[in-house]
Amino acid sequence: MVPGEDEDRSGVPAGPFTAKQLSRLDEALTLSSRETGVQFSLYVGVLDASPRRMAEDMHAALGAAAADSVLVAVSPGERRLEIVTGEHTAKRLPDRACALAALSMTASFTGGDLVGGIVNGLRMLADQAGKAALLRR
Amino acid sequence: MTVVQTVLIYVGLPALGTAVLAVLVFAGGGRRKPRYRPGRGWSHDDVWYLPRPERASSPAHDLPELTAGVTSGEHSLRTAKGGASGTW
């Protein structure tokens, strides 16, 4: 499984989302990442018996980018959400902030609003992480 | 009022109204998007999205190449430092 492999190139989106939902997700991911300098990535799919472990393995699979990455893993089947921060991003996004975003997201998921929950969660995480420029320079 | 008129008004009009409502409700129902319902299971493929690179035109952007595609199994390197979990 490689990130981005399900990108819509043929005009018909593969995967669980409609084109409109995909564009909302794309906008949320891209804007939050550009604003903050943190690379947010989103996984939607199966998380096996030990979801935390699997999410952390996926975070490790990001390789050199992992330290500056935040992985949001959503498993609608198992009703499980994992947010994983890396070495640098953990400083900007303390566990408490992640827990708050997770709470907001699961509240939306309970109502069946998968995309809305993800978009709002990403926005909350990005707000908490703050601007990239303020921290870098 | 003749019998025909009575029947048309008291049977025909309600039937017509019901038919119009039914058409409005079910029109376009065939291409309704699949909606997520908690507890109903999830049969779609796994997807993993990354943010768009800054310059989408250049294929070799600054992001480092992914070195591993396997998500299960052992990674000697632990990159996770924190985060949160949730269930619903």
Side-chain angles (χ1 to χ4, degrees), chain A residues 4 8 18 40 43 45 58 75 86 89 95 102 105 109 115 124 135:
Chain A
D8 169 30
T18 63
F40 287 98
Y43 170 82
M58 287 167 59
S75 173
T89 47
D95 289 359
M105 292 170 84
F109 298 160
V115 176
M124 284 177 75
L135 287 140

Side-chain angles (χ1 to χ4, degrees), chain A residues 1 3-4 16 26 30 33-34 39-44 46 52-53 56-57 59-60 76 79 81-83 85 95, chain B residues 36 38 42 46-54 63 66 69 71 73-74 78-88:
Chain A
M1 179 173 22
D26 176 52
T30 305
S33 299
R34 266 182 213 170
Q39 183 187 279
F40 287 98
S41 67
L42 168 71
Y43 170 82
V44 182
V46 175
R52 186 72 202 168
R53 175 91 197 175
E56 288 181 356
D57 283 342
H59 190 267
R79 296 203 241 171
L81 164 74
E82 297 289 343
I83 300 175
T85 52
D95 289 359
Chain B
Y36 169 64
W42 184 258
D46 302 344
V47 288
W48 192 353
Y49 301 113
L50 287 179
R52 233 181 306 140
E54 291 266 353
L63 290 176
L66 285 165
T71 57
E74 288 303 307
R78 305 302 303 163
T79 54
K81 277 285 183 286
S85 303
T87 52
W88 67 92

Side-chain angles (χ1 to χ4, degrees), chain B residues 11 20 22 29 32 39 46 55 59 78 87:
Chain B
V11 178
V20 167
R32 207 185 308 168
D46 302 344
R55 284 163 289 120
R78 305 302 303 163
T87 52

Side-chain angles (χ1 to χ4, degrees), chain B residues 8-47:
Chain B
L8 272 179
I9 287 170
Y10 288 103
V11 178
L13 279 183
L16 187 71
T18 311
V20 167
L21 276 181
V23 165
L24 285 177
V25 166
F26 292 110
R31 55 173 192 81
R32 207 185 308 168
K33 62 191 173 195
R35 186 176 148 73
Y36 169 64
R37 294 188 194 283
R40 284 278 184 87
W42 184 258
S43 53
H44 301 287
D45 290 341
D46 302 344
V47 288

Side-chain angles (χ1 to χ4, degrees), chain A:
Chain A
M1 179 173 22
V2 175
E5 72 175 1
D6 283 294
E7 271 176 14
D8 169 30
R9 292 204 180 81
S10 60
V12 181
F17 302 113
T18 63
K20 203 172 171 183
Q21 291 175 325
L22 273 179
S23 84
R24 281 183 70 195
L25 289 175
D26 176 52
E27 194 186 338
L29 268 179
T30 305
L31 286 184
S32 0
S33 299
R34 266 182 213 170
E35 263 173 32
T36 58
V38 171
Q39 183 187 279
F40 287 98
S41 67
L42 168 71
Y43 170 82
V44 182
V46 175
L47 290 172
D48 58 15
S50 50
R52 186 72 202 168
R53 175 91 197 175
M54 184 175 167
E56 288 181 356
D57 283 342
M58 287 167 59
H59 190 267
L62 290 166
D68 288 311
S69 288
V70 172
L71 173 72
V72 177
V74 183
S75 173
E78 287 95 335
R79 296 203 241 171
R80 182 85 195 195
L81 164 74
E82 297 289 343
I83 300 175
V84 185
T85 52
E87 193 184 345
H88 300 152
T89 47
K91 290 175 192 148
R92 297 172 64 184
L93 287 167
D95 289 359
R96 222 166 37 165
C98 295
L100 197 60
L103 194 67
S104 149
M105 292 170 84
T106 50
S108 292
F109 298 160
T110 309
D113 189 7
L114 209 53
V115 176
I118 292 169
V119 168
N120 281 335
L122 285 172
R123 207 168 286 158
M124 284 177 75
L125 289 171
D127 284 348
Q128 177 66 35
K131 292 260 185 284
L134 293 176
L135 287 140
R136 289 240 175 100
R137 287 177 270 274

